[in-house]
Amino acid sequence: MVFEIQISRFKASDVIWTGNYSTTVTQNQVLHWSWESELPLECAIHFVRMRTMVDDARIPVPRFWSNWSSWKKADAQNSLGDHPLYVFPKDKLVEEGSDVTICYISRNHQDNISCYLEDVLTFGKQLDQSVWAFELKNISFLRKTGTNFYCQGQGVPEGVVLFVSKVLEEPKNFSCETRDLKTLTCTWDPGDDTGLIQLPSYTLFESFSRKKTLCKHRNRCDWQVTQDSQEMYNFTLVAENYFRKRSVSILFNLIHGVHPVAPYNLFPKNVSATNATMTWKVHSIGNNSALLCQLQLLGEGKVIQQHNISIRVNGEYLLSELEPDTEYMARVRCAYADHFWKWSELISQNFTTAEAAPSEAPDVWRDVMFVSGHPTVTLFWKPLSKVHTHGKILFYNVVVENLDEASSLEVLSVPAPANSTKVTLNQSSYQIHVTAHNSVGPSPASTVAISGHPGNENVEEGRINGTEDGFPMSWKPQSRNATGYVVEWCDGPQNLPCVLQWKNLGPTTTGTVISSGAFRPGVRYNFRIYEISTKRMAHLLEKKTGYLEELAPSYNPQVVPNNLTSHSFTLSWKDYPTESQTGFIQGYYVYLKSKAGEKCHRGFEKTVLPDNSVCCKYTIDNPDQKTFVMKDLQPESVYEFFVTPYTSAGEGPMDDFRKVTTPDEYSHILIHIILPMIFCVLVIMIACYLKSQWLKDKCYPDIPDPYKSSVLSLIKSKENPHITIMNVNDCVPDAIEVVNKPEGSKIQFTGTRKSPTETKGTKPAYLDLLPTEKNYSGPGPCICFENFTYNQAASDLGYCGHFPVTSQAPHCPLGPLTSPENLLKTLEQNYMNSLGEIPAGEANLNYVSQLASPVSGDKESPPTNPPEPALCSEYKMQMAIPLGLASPPPSENSSLSSTTLLDPGEHYH
């Protein structure tokens, strides 16, 4: 029978789908047919009708359709409640890439509703007054928990979750194998997960036996081999999920797909320094079938030996040519010997060979320093490689053999891991042997020879240029019997302690490339090439120096200007070290600026600086020249200079210019005059300062202060504790000298002072007081003022100005002051004849000086026959006499006194 079915939506007349359904029917049979609408049934009323026709070859044509059945209505909205908003379909499951239609039903026609797919506003079309539909194209997988679609009105939002499944993939790499000829294992790659909670199902079907099994795993399935000796199998793997099915097939021969189980119990035995025996076991296959096993030996992660062995139950193999004290890994895998299909999994075992004596002599070099004529040798050696140590190095033996004394041996033991030692030798020749020792024994010896005298160090140094690979160098042999060459260098810069490095080369080698990870651009490295003689003596062959890469100088010299004249000055930078620079100094650039804008001097050229200023530049192409004379300059002008070195990589940094001002053209002449004058003035000032006290004493001595005199402290005593600076006593003068007496006038001693007009034009006159006897009676008393602190040396005056008196004449003067005791004694004797106290107001006194004038008479006209003055060595008392005192003329036997009489208020010395 054929059934034609029609489906309408909303109205019976709106047919949306027509299709045929064919089936074989029997009498009273109930038929079932289903149809899935792209629009959820809840969103619209659907109608369905059908008609039928016999579709049987036994029924002759023409065949006719029956009448249409009446429309049947399917209205899912009747089952909805009173909720204002509904969204359908609920929990829809779709496949990635397909289309899906979502609709909502709104009970409130006035409500403004917006719908969103993962928060993205989505627009649909209205199907009737209360239904809107949204068609989502090519839906994609977002997450396992589904994709959200919701609508928002005035009330609570409503939504649905779309569960999107990835497309089920066809299984890949489908294969089957057996490990024991009893069980087949088929494996495959299922591809990407579909993202559904419900996983796809996998079914294995074998067409020859028509058996099938439901696989328990997503990527593997086991099949039991029957005992009917079936060798060929035709498997079909079917993968199925809610949306589709995928299948893949394979034709498999059981014997060709044997994959043995991994062997076990792999152990080494009888391990020596160079050999080891490996043993292992395997699982049997079928009726004790043969297996092919592969034994691999690995050292430092690499396969160094590989051996194939055919076995049935147990395996054993001897590994030889092993290195002592070396860790190895042995591993084994097996395959079916009758027909190779696949290796089994690997099993592995580590083991270490026993130690042996070191197989190679240490690489030894030396550094010789001569101290006070005796060589001090520092020995260096490189650690042996792991390949040659054959065990842990415990110590190094250093044997020092004196070649001039056959029985002289010195043995030093240096514990590892030290790699150097120092030996002090005399001026003999030596051979030094170095051996490395482990727990088994020593290595071969390395020998160096040392001469007791310094070798030739006067070797010219050559320059070399570094490359990316290092320093290439070559040399010319000096001897045909050389046993080798050694290149020596320091890894670090010259200003750091030397980390000595060396490279041993064969006798036929005349060139090499020295490379090191420590080499840096801009650092100078020095190399020394030695030739080794048959007696192991090293002779310096060549010296090399160079840079891996030259750089521009890193700093400029400190330039000192000197010899400044009005037309030139000299620049000097003698302390600038060129060896520590970042490249070979090829010369210097001297920059000169003049504010006057002068033209460049001869030899200079104009250049533009980085700051766009213009100056003159002079090139010094001799790196050893470290002075430069600026010539032909203008007097009293300002010049700016700057000096920088340059290498092949460029010049030094641009520093600030320094200023120099040339002096006046005649300033040097003034300097030659002024400087000696200043020097003379300074010498005179210093001399005056050193002789200031002497000048003061000679030119303007201080007036003595009686109260500060040391004499006063000497004359005080217990017998006379009341002695003061001046005592007043009676005395009799021997002579009086009258000063400034008018010529022709009579000498009078009045109490009035002469006026300047009365004394003008007068000559001094002298009044002599003649000595008197004991019965002397004069007009008034004579009073002596004794000053105990005055002790002027007589030699300073030259003349005392008094004449000798007769022995009968009493006098006041004291004798010579030879000591304080004589002074006191003399004073006491002369004060015995005091004249007594003079009543106050009755006597007018004038000051009488202690020293007499040089001569008597007219001071402006010395006497024609002056008496011979005696040297002054006496202490003279100060006296005061009455002004009315007169004296008779002097007699022949009388002497002039050194006492001088002054008018009131006058003082004369």
Side-chain angles (χ1 to χ4, degrees):
M1 302 289 292
V2 176
F3 300 90
E4 184 180 11
I5 304 171
Q6 287 183 342
I7 298 176
S8 300
R9 183 176 293 159
F10 293 110
K11 294 185 299 182
S13 59
D14 295 337
V15 178
I16 61 171
W17 185 86
T18 299
N20 293 332
Y21 171 68
S22 299
T23 185
T24 300
V25 299
T26 60
Q27 188 175 2
N28 298 324
Q29 180 183 359
V30 178
L31 299 179
H32 296 275
W33 171 83
S34 65
W35 174 77
E36 184 176 358
S37 172
E38 75 280 0
L39 179 69
L41 297 178
E42 295 87 350
C43 294
I45 299 173
H46 288 79
F47 301 89
V48 60
R49 72 177 181 174
M50 67 177 63
R51 63 182 179 175
T52 184
M53 182 182 66
V54 176
D55 185 18
D56 195 330
R58 296 172 298 176
I59 305 299
V61 295
R63 303 181 184 103
F64 301 97
W65 287 100
S66 67
N67 295 326
W68 287 100
S69 66
S70 61
W71 290 98
K72 296 295 183 181
K73 181 180 180 181
D75 187 2
Q77 292 184 4
N78 290 334
S79 62
L80 299 179
D82 297 331
H83 199 276
L85 180 64
Y86 294 94
V87 180
F88 296 103
K90 299 293 186 182
D91 301 331
K92 179 72 172 178
L93 180 61
V94 296
E95 191 175 41
E96 186 178 24
S98 62
D99 300 336
V100 63
T101 301
I102 299 176
C103 68
Y104 74 80
I105 302 173
S106 176
R107 303 294 190 186
N108 185 359
H109 305 314
Q110 305 298 326
D111 198 359
N112 186 16
I113 298 174
S114 299
C115 295
Y116 302 88
L117 177 64
E118 290 290 333
D119 298 330
V120 177
L121 181 63
T122 304
F123 300 95
K125 64 180 179 178
Q126 188 174 10
L127 300 181
D128 69 359
Q129 188 176 7
S130 60
V131 178
W132 283 72
F134 301 85
E135 187 175 359
L136 306 180
K137 298 288 188 178
N138 193 19
I139 195 74
S140 61
F141 175 85
L142 295 180
R143 65 183 74 89
K144 286 186 177 183
T145 56
T147 302
N148 297 320
F149 182 92
Y150 63 94
C151 296
Q152 175 73 55
Q154 293 182 356
V156 178
E158 281 290 329
V160 295
V161 178
L162 297 178
F163 293 97
V164 181
S165 169
K166 291 184 178 180
V167 178
L168 178 64
E169 296 183 18
E170 182 182 282
K172 303 179 183 65
N173 302 325
F174 178 47
S175 65
C176 297
E177 65 183 21
T178 180
R179 313 206 76 164
D180 53 6
L181 297 178
K182 297 178 181 179
T183 302
L184 276 171
T185 301
C186 296
T187 59
W188 62 89
D189 178 11
D192 293 337
D193 187 6
T194 58
L196 295 178
I197 297 176
Q198 184 179 1
L199 298 176
S201 63
Y202 293 89
T203 303
L204 187 62
F205 175 75
E206 203 281 308
S207 61
F208 294 144
S209 63
R210 303 193 64 83
K211 295 179 181 179
K212 68 177 181 179
T213 181
L214 182 63
C215 301
K216 298 179 180 179
H217 304 282
R218 184 170 175 259
N219 60 349
R220 180 173 60 86
C221 194
D222 293 331
W223 184 275
Q224 295 299 320
V225 177
T226 61
Q227 301 300 322
D228 56 3
S229 300
Q230 180 183 351
E231 291 186 4
M232 297 300 297
Y233 293 85
N234 186 9
F235 288 112
T236 299
L237 177 66
V238 179
E240 184 179 5
N241 68 357
Y242 178 80
F243 299 102
R244 66 183 67 215
K245 290 182 180 181
R246 300 283 191 176
S247 64
V248 63
S249 300
I250 184 174
L251 183 62
F252 172 71
N253 189 322
L254 181 64
I255 301 301
H256 294 176
V258 178
H259 181 198
V261 179
Y264 61 99
N265 289 345
L266 176 63
F267 291 109
K269 67 177 184 179
N270 302 329
V271 180
S272 66
T274 57
N275 299 318
T277 300
M278 305 304 299
T279 63
W280 67 94
K281 296 181 180 181
V282 295
H283 297 274
S284 62
I285 297 178
N287 297 324
N288 201 18
S289 301
L291 293 176
L292 177 66
C293 294
Q294 186 180 76
L295 173 62
Q296 296 177 342
L297 182 68
L298 286 80
E300 297 182 354
K302 298 179 180 180
V303 177
I304 57 178
Q305 292 185 26
Q306 183 170 290
H307 309 278
N308 293 329
I309 307 102
S310 179
I311 64 171
R312 292 186 180 274
V313 179
N314 297 326
E316 181 175 307
Y317 192 83
L318 175 64
L319 296 172
S320 60
E321 298 180 359
L322 306 179
E323 293 292 337
D325 190 43
T326 303
E327 184 177 359
Y328 292 98
M329 173 188 286
R331 62 188 187 185
V332 177
R333 60 184 179 177
C334 299
Y336 191 53
D338 293 342
H339 191 284
F340 180 83
W341 160 246
K342 190 182 291 184
W343 287 110
S344 69
E345 291 82 5
L346 284 165
I347 62 169
S348 60
Q349 181 65 46
N350 293 339
F351 67 96
T352 303
T353 54
E355 291 189 0
S359 61
E360 187 172 291
D363 186 358
V364 179
W365 188 236
R366 85 295 177 274
D367 182 34
V368 183
M369 298 290 292
F370 283 85
V371 180
S372 301
H374 295 274
T376 298
V377 180
T378 304
L379 293 171
F380 300 91
W381 55 85
K382 296 177 181 178
L384 293 174
S385 65
K386 180 67 176 177
V387 177
H388 300 111
T389 55
H390 295 172
K392 182 180 179 181
I393 300 299
L394 303 176
F395 62 92
Y396 296 88
N397 262 3
V398 179
V399 179
V400 182
E401 179 184 3
N402 191 330
L403 300 180
D404 298 335
E405 299 176 11
S407 61
S408 177
L409 287 177
E410 181 182 358
V411 180
L412 304 175
S413 180
V414 181
N419 61 351
S420 65
T421 188
K422 187 174 291 187
V423 180
T424 302
L425 309 176
N426 56 30
Q427 295 181 347
S428 301
S429 296
Y430 290 86
Q431 277 192 349
I432 302 177
H433 312 276
V434 181
T435 55
H437 293 250
N438 61 12
S439 61
V440 178
S443 69
S446 182
T447 303
V448 294
I450 305 296
S451 173
H453 303 282
N456 179 26
E457 292 290 330
N458 298 324
V459 177
E460 185 177 355
E461 186 178 69
R463 290 186 177 182
I464 55 177
N465 297 319
T467 64
E468 294 181 355
D469 300 326
F471 288 94
M473 61 186 69
S474 61
W475 55 88
K476 294 182 180 179
Q478 287 185 350
S479 173
R480 296 182 179 179
N481 298 324
T483 61
Y485 299 92
V486 175
V487 180
E488 171 191 284
W489 74 94
C490 293
D491 251 356
Q494 297 182 6
N495 58 346
L496 296 179
C498 176
V499 180
L500 187 65
Q501 302 292 330
W502 68 94
K503 184 177 181 179
N504 273 303
L505 300 166
T508 60
T509 305
T510 58
T512 186
V513 177
I514 302 298
S515 60
S516 172
F519 288 156
R520 296 290 181 268
V523 178
R524 180 181 290 190
Y525 297 97
N526 297 322
F527 301 89
R528 298 162 69 92
I529 303 171
Y530 292 87
E531 185 180 73
I532 309 301
S533 68
T534 54
K535 296 182 180 180
R536 305 302 301 168
M537 197 74 69
H539 302 281
L540 182 60
L541 192 62
E542 292 184 18
K543 294 180 182 180
K544 307 284 186 181
T545 184
Y547 294 84
L548 187 67
E549 179 185 354
E550 287 193 64
L551 302 178
S554 56
Y555 62 95
N556 296 319
Q558 296 293 328
V559 181
V560 178
N562 48 39
N563 299 332
L564 181 63
T565 68
S566 57
H567 295 285
S568 67
F569 60 87
T570 301
L571 301 179
S572 175
W573 55 96
K574 295 183 179 180
D575 296 334
Y576 185 65
T578 59
E579 293 77 10
S580 60
Q581 281 293 341
T582 55
F584 291 115
I585 301 299
Q586 298 180 352
Y588 300 90
Y589 292 138
V590 181
Y591 292 91
L592 182 66
K593 286 183 182 180
S594 174
K595 289 189 176 180
E598 301 173 1
K599 294 183 179 180
C600 292
H601 297 75
R602 186 176 60 182
F604 284 82
E605 60 180 359
K606 280 193 176 182
T607 185
V608 180
L609 299 178
D611 60 355
N612 294 325
S613 61
V614 179
C615 69
C616 299
K617 175 182 175 181
Y618 186 87
T619 301
I620 300 175
D621 56 7
N622 181 10
D624 296 327
Q625 178 181 340
K626 296 184 179 180
T627 59
F628 182 75
V629 179
M630 294 283 191
K631 300 179 180 178
D632 302 326
L633 306 180
Q634 296 297 323
E636 296 185 275
S637 298
V638 177
Y639 293 91
E640 297 182 45
F641 68 88
F642 167 63
V643 178
T644 183
Y646 65 91
T647 66
S648 62
E651 61 183 279
M654 186 61 65
D655 288 343
D656 295 334
F657 279 72
R658 295 182 58 184
K659 293 183 179 180
V660 169
T661 302
T662 55
D664 181 29
E665 192 170 4
Y666 303 101
S667 59
H668 64 283
I669 301 176
L670 296 177
I671 290 175
H672 289 310
I673 298 175
I674 294 175
L675 286 179
M677 293 179 61
I678 294 175
F679 177 76
C680 293
V681 171
L682 288 175
V683 171
I684 294 173
M685 292 176 64
I686 292 172
C688 291
Y689 175 78
L690 296 176
K691 294 295 184 177
S692 59
Q693 189 62 38
W694 179 83
L695 289 174
K696 181 178 180 181
D697 293 342
K698 291 299 182 183
C699 299
Y700 51 95
D702 293 337
I703 298 175
D705 187 353
Y707 289 96
K708 296 181 180 179
S709 175
S710 60
V711 177
L712 185 61
S713 61
L714 297 176
I715 63 177
K716 289 183 179 181
S717 64
K718 293 182 180 180
E719 291 79 6
N720 191 8
H722 302 291
I723 294 177
T724 61
I725 294 175
M726 184 175 288
N727 283 350
V728 179
N729 294 310
D730 297 335
C731 68
V732 178
D734 56 355
I736 294 177
E737 179 181 352
V738 179
V739 183
N740 293 336
K741 176 182 178 299
E743 184 179 358
S745 64
K746 185 178 180 179
I747 298 177
Q748 295 180 354
F749 295 93
T750 63
T752 62
R753 180 177 178 84
K754 298 181 182 71
S755 66
T757 55
E758 293 175 340
T759 60
K760 183 176 181 181
T762 62
K763 293 182 179 180
Y766 298 91
L767 175 64
D768 293 334
L769 298 182
L770 299 178
T772 60
E773 301 298 335
K774 292 182 180 180
N775 55 359
Y776 168 80
S777 60
C782 173
I783 302 175
C784 292
F785 295 86
E786 299 174 281
N787 188 339
F788 296 117
T789 65
Y790 190 85
N791 186 13
Q792 175 69 33
S795 60
D796 293 339
L797 299 177
Y799 294 98
C800 192
H802 69 278
F803 297 94
V805 295
T806 60
S807 59
Q808 294 83 11
H811 57 276
C812 293
L814 302 175
L817 288 175
T818 59
S819 67
E821 291 80 2
N822 293 337
L823 174 63
L824 292 174
K825 184 176 180 181
T826 306
L827 291 175
E828 290 175 356
Q829 293 176 356
N830 288 317
Y831 292 157
M832 297 302 297
N833 296 323
S834 175
L835 296 178
E837 182 179 357
I838 300 175
E842 294 182 4
N844 293 324
L845 303 179
N846 278 353
Y847 177 79
V848 181
S849 68
Q850 291 177 328
L851 301 179
S853 59
V855 293
S856 297
D858 191 351
K859 287 190 176 184
E860 296 181 358
S861 177
T864 56
N865 294 314
E868 181 76 15
L871 293 176
C872 178
S873 63
E874 296 180 349
Y875 176 86
K876 300 302 180 179
M877 293 181 296
Q878 297 175 354
M879 296 178 298
I881 60 174
L883 293 178
L885 181 64
S887 174
S891 63
E892 295 180 356
N893 296 327
S894 64
S895 64
L896 293 176
S897 172
S898 64
T899 303
T900 306
L901 181 64
L902 302 179
D903 288 340
E906 294 181 345
H907 192 129
Y908 178 82
H909 290 283

